[in-house]
Amino acid sequence: MCGIVGYIGTKNAYPILMEGLKRLEYRGYDSAGIAMIDEQGKLNIYKTKGKVADLESFCAEKDTTGHVGIAHTRWATHGEPSSINAHPHYSSSGRLALIHNGIIENFITIKEKLVARGIQFKSVTDSEVLVQLIEYIMLNNKLELLEAVQVALHQVIGAYAIAILDREHPQTIICARQSSPLVIGLGDDDAFYLASDASPIAEYTDKVVYLNDGDIAVLQLGKELNVVNMENETQHPKVRQIDVTLGQLEKGGFPYFMLKEIFEQPNCIRDCMRGRIHTEENSITLSAVIDYREKLVNASRIIIVACGTSWHAGLIGKQIIEDLCRVPVEVEYASEFRYRNPIIYPNDIVIAISQSGETADTLAAIELARNSGAFVFGICNVIGASIPRRTQTGIYIHVGPEIGVASTKAFTGQVTVLSMLALCLAKERHTISANKYQKILNELMRIPEKMEQALETNEQIEHLAPIFTYAKNCLYLGRGYNYPVALEGALKLKEISYIHAEGYPAAEMKHGPIALIDSEMPVFVIATHDSLYEKVISNIQEVRARGGRVTALVTEGDERIKQFANHVIELPDTLDCFQPLLASIPLQLLAYHIAVCKGKDVDRPRNLAKSVTVE
Ligand code: AGP
């Protein structure tokens, strides 16, 4: 939510900042802005409503010189998208410029105090209070900027990643982090880069420092990185290496990141299994399970916490873990879990699933679980993100950067990791026979190839999509392992095509939703050949009997459903537990093509942001 980028070095800052904003745009795209200090020491701030491309056009005729700057792409929380509410915000005197990602919860109290002291605000954002408060403290107490930032942040309640420029000190950027991500890149030429995630930094350096909560970093040209805390004690964050290639951050010939990411899935799943599944020995090694074997094997219960698509992956994880490991699993929305008073036992394992590793609710659920003495395990994609740093151990899904706001490859990566974890734990717990283990593992290894086959449905789906663009509502039905797939299919459609869609367990239809069925409502049924196949056929008949129009995902060669479904999409056969890895692909493609037919901006759906770092 909101993207931050900054640069200080010897190069012209403008192209670096603009390129960085484009890479971060998936985090927010309702307005954008940039602040730079030019050679004469003038602080130039340009901001516009709209996308980064609008900012670029706006800046075309402006002075964009300077070797230091900060920039921001916004996802509105307080105040509508407008150029006034866009960041950077500047202080009353015009000396400081600040960008912020997060939410300042006590901004009204701070603002009232500052207004009472004569400070005039330009925007209605919570963020502006930070720059006004810092300047007020600095000027009134005759403090240096760093000291003023430390004093100010003591007064602030909330989440922030901030970066500040000071016209009087054009060789310095100060940035700070509390509950919102901030990464600093260390360039070979003494330059510093800063960003909300590593994507804008990766093309310049592979050496990064992830700031921890409470860290304040001083980036000064020609000096070492200086990180202190609010008490001015020096911190020693680790310099880490990032492993992101430029190709991963670009569209590679696809019109949208989402489509590229859908098509990447076979290779992503190979990457996810690489080094973990050993074909020669037919075994799985997960270092987290080796390191924490006792804890994991003896768990009396697993609680999965996640949001959105990651929560859907959790629902699939529940089924496979319960089936293979015979340990009870509960799946909770992190946003609900954190605010009720859940019963957590010290023998519980809490698994937090998150693509970004920065979701505020999931992070809060982790803190709650840790404070209750549970062992917390993370399943995450973004390396070095907050969730892997706040969990005791975990597994990266290794599917590469996911830029499309609608999550696709992260979902299948999460399901793959949960499947490997289930197999591994089942073996350790002796709840699986050697034969069953081998059978499931062999099938898992064939999934990437089968995903390639599933992707061959793309052309058929592209032709079908225009039929559904008229729809106001759609229903997705599935049972067993395919019920979460129905939920995920419906979420994808809602997110990018703005068609209302609901996922439902097929058998629950007759308890209410069947009243909605008529010829205007497309119904997508996942009816692949699994243990509930016959039951799902009956559910399809119930829909057809009421005039419903059915598009069914079936297993290749299925002749029965063809006789009564309006359309069928064929998928390769697989085990029940891996149906979601294949069945989710045509549903991703369906949502994608419907959204394209409707002329929607697939990678930047309205009102959404890639990582939800506010609650
Ligand atoms: C999925 O398409 C969504 N954009 C969204 O539901 C997402 O899965 C959710 O916000 C959780 O994000 P996370 O996996 O990064 O924690």
Side-chain angles (χ1 to χ4, degrees):
M1 222 134 248
C2 300
I4 281 183
V5 59
Y7 172 77
I8 180 163
T10 50
K11 296 182 204 147
N12 189 4
Y14 180 74
I16 296 170
L17 297 175
M18 208 40 93
E19 211 35 56
L21 282 186
K22 287 179 193 163
R23 296 214 191 285
L24 286 177
E25 200 174 19
Y26 70 96
R27 299 178 72 93
Y29 34 82
D30 59 44
S31 50
I34 193 163
M36 279 168 305
I37 302 178
D38 70 14
E39 296 308 307
Q40 288 69 47
K42 186 165 171 255
L43 175 59
N44 293 312
I45 298 185
Y46 309 121
K47 16 191 221 175
T48 50
K49 183 179 168 184
K51 302 195 166 137
V52 173
D54 299 309
L55 178 69
E56 204 171 17
S57 317
F58 184 73
C59 291
E61 303 295 313
K62 306 273 191 290
D63 172 10
T64 53
T65 57
H67 304 285
V68 53
I70 53 177
H72 185 270
T73 177
R74 179 172 186 244
W75 186 87
T77 56
H78 296 63
E80 56 164 15
S82 69
S83 56
I84 290 180
N85 289 334
H87 302 216
H89 293 286
Y90 38 97
S91 57
S92 284
S93 74
R95 175 176 159 179
L96 306 181
L98 175 144
I99 51 177
H100 167 227
N101 173 19
I103 287 185
I104 304 306
E105 286 171 16
N106 60 341
F107 83 100
I108 295 179
T109 325
I110 298 175
K111 189 171 177 173
E112 280 170 359
K113 282 186 192 154
L114 291 170
V115 169
R117 285 164 198 170
I119 306 292
Q120 285 183 357
F121 280 74
K122 296 166 200 82
S123 77
V124 294
T125 63
D126 56 332
S127 309
E128 192 186 345
V129 300
L130 289 169
V131 72
Q132 304 296 13
L133 178 67
I134 292 167
E135 182 175 81
Y136 181 84
I137 292 170
M138 181 171 74
L139 299 182
N140 278 278
N141 302 293
K142 299 196 174 35
L143 297 179
E144 291 298 320
L145 178 60
L146 173 62
E147 295 168 313
V149 169
Q150 287 164 326
V151 174
L153 292 182
H154 270 294
Q155 298 179 27
V156 163
I157 302 170
Y160 51 80
I162 54 170
I164 311 157
L165 279 188
D166 180 356
R167 197 176 55 193
E168 305 294 315
H169 297 282
Q171 305 286 312
T172 307
I173 299 177
I174 291 189
C175 50
R177 170 204 156 121
Q178 180 65 46
S179 305
S180 283
L182 203 51
V183 189
I184 293 169
L186 311 176
D188 291 335
D189 49 358
D190 286 345
F192 292 109
Y193 303 82
L194 71 100
S196 302
D197 64 45
S199 57
I201 297 176
E203 69 184 278
Y204 307 107
T205 178
D206 60 354
K207 286 199 276 312
V208 296
V209 164
Y210 294 95
L211 292 191
N212 291 313
D213 280 348
D215 284 353
I216 302 172
V218 183
L219 317 181
Q220 264 183 306
L221 202 55
K223 297 214 175 142
E224 296 261 293
L225 174 67
N226 176 23
V227 181
V228 293
N229 63 12
M230 283 193 249
E231 279 67 44
N232 206 34
E233 294 157 344
T234 301
Q235 306 297 298
H236 302 282
K238 260 199 205 146
V239 177
R240 293 167 200 261
Q241 195 133 12
I242 41 165
D243 184 20
V244 177
T245 63
L246 264 194
Q248 290 175 316
L249 300 171
E250 276 155 13
K251 287 188 208 147
F254 286 89
Y256 286 100
F257 279 110
M258 181 184 180
L259 191 62
K260 177 192 173 216
E261 288 159 6
I262 292 173
F263 271 88
E264 278 174 351
Q265 289 176 104
N267 282 336
C268 290
I269 299 312
R270 287 185 183 105
D271 289 343
C272 177
M273 298 193 295
R274 184 163 297 124
R276 292 165 171 168
I277 295 190
H278 312 286
T279 31
E280 329 72 56
E281 302 137 38
N282 275 331
S283 65
I284 301 179
T285 320
L286 297 173
S287 52
V289 177
I290 297 174
D291 296 346
Y292 294 92
R293 188 187 170 282
E294 285 305 291
K295 197 84 206 160
L296 295 169
V297 167
N298 296 323
S300 49
R301 182 175 64 151
I302 291 174
I303 303 172
I304 295 178
V305 290
C307 301
T309 289
S310 301
W311 183 79
H312 296 155
L315 293 178
I316 296 164
K318 168 186 168 73
Q319 296 191 48
I320 190 161
I321 296 170
E322 287 189 342
D323 183 19
L324 303 186
C325 310
R326 311 309 300 152
V327 59
V329 182
E330 289 169 21
V331 187
E332 299 255 11
Y333 282 120
S335 53
E336 291 294 315
F337 181 80
R338 64 178 291 193
Y339 283 119
R340 52 186 191 77
N341 187 10
I343 299 166
I344 306 171
Y345 300 110
N347 232 13
D348 284 341
I349 304 291
V350 172
I351 300 183
I353 308 177
S354 173
Q355 186 287 131
S356 61
E358 301 293 350
T359 300
D361 285 319
T362 311
L363 273 163
I366 289 171
E367 291 314 313
L368 176 67
R370 284 185 71 136
N371 293 338
S372 310
F375 182 82
V376 188
F377 188 104
I379 294 181
C380 188
N381 188 34
V382 178
I383 297 178
S386 303
I387 288 179
R389 288 185 293 132
R390 286 305 297 154
T391 45
Q392 276 113 320
T393 186
I395 307 177
Y396 281 114
I397 61 175
H398 286 315
V399 298
E402 190 181 65
I403 313 286
V405 167
S407 185
T408 53
K409 60 179 183 172
F411 173 72
T412 45
Q414 290 162 346
V415 173
T416 305
V417 160
L418 287 159
S419 306
M420 291 192 289
L421 180 64
L423 273 170
C424 226
L425 287 181
K427 193 175 181 187
E428 297 294 334
R429 287 170 63 90
H430 307 292
T431 49
I432 191 169
S433 68
N435 274 349
K436 191 170 174 183
Y437 179 89
Q438 281 316 321
K439 188 176 159 200
I440 298 177
L441 183 55
N442 288 343
E443 184 58 16
L444 183 56
M445 290 191 282
R446 296 189 59 201
I447 289 296
E449 187 191 317
K450 293 189 178 187
M451 281 179 149
E452 275 156 6
Q453 277 175 265
L455 284 165
E456 286 168 16
T457 59
N458 183 43
E459 216 172 300
Q460 183 197 1
I461 293 171
E462 190 175 358
H463 284 114
L464 281 178
I467 305 174
F468 304 113
T469 49
Y470 74 89
K472 298 260 174 297
N473 300 289
C474 290
L475 204 54
Y476 286 72
L477 303 178
R479 297 187 72 162
Y481 279 104
N482 283 329
Y483 163 51
V485 178
L487 292 175
E488 176 59 7
L491 178 62
K492 290 289 88 93
L493 189 71
K494 279 187 265 207
E495 281 189 290
I496 58 170
S497 73
Y498 319 144
I499 295 174
H500 170 248
E502 264 196 80
Y504 233 77
E508 280 294 302
M509 284 288 292
K510 47 189 162 310
H511 300 288
I514 203 158
L516 297 169
I517 300 289
D518 62 18
S519 59
E520 300 286 292
M521 161 104 96
V523 181
F524 302 104
V525 188
I526 306 132
T528 48
H529 222 181
D530 59 20
S531 57
L532 291 165
Y533 175 71
E534 294 295 337
K535 308 275 175 206
V536 176
I537 288 191
S538 309
N539 301 139
I540 295 177
Q541 298 289 19
E542 290 155 13
V543 173
R544 289 293 291 142
R546 282 149 188 92
R549 299 189 62 76
V550 171
T551 302
L553 302 190
V554 301
T555 303
E556 58 191 347
D558 186 316
E559 292 302 324
R560 273 175 78 187
I561 297 181
K562 266 188 199 153
Q563 293 165 24
F564 46 87
N566 299 84
H567 310 283
V568 294
I569 297 167
E570 294 191 42
L571 289 169
D573 195 12
T574 187
L575 296 176
D576 289 15
C577 59
F578 298 138
Q579 298 287 354
L581 290 172
L582 304 183
S584 55
I585 290 178
L587 298 185
Q588 295 166 351
L589 288 167
L590 191 70
Y592 170 81
H593 287 297
I594 293 175
V596 169
C597 284
K598 294 189 77 174
K600 304 298 178 204
D601 186 344
V602 170
D603 286 336
R604 289 182 286 250
R606 71 180 180 204
N607 304 339
L608 297 181
K610 182 67 181 164
S611 58
V612 184
T613 52
V614 295
E615 63 168 290

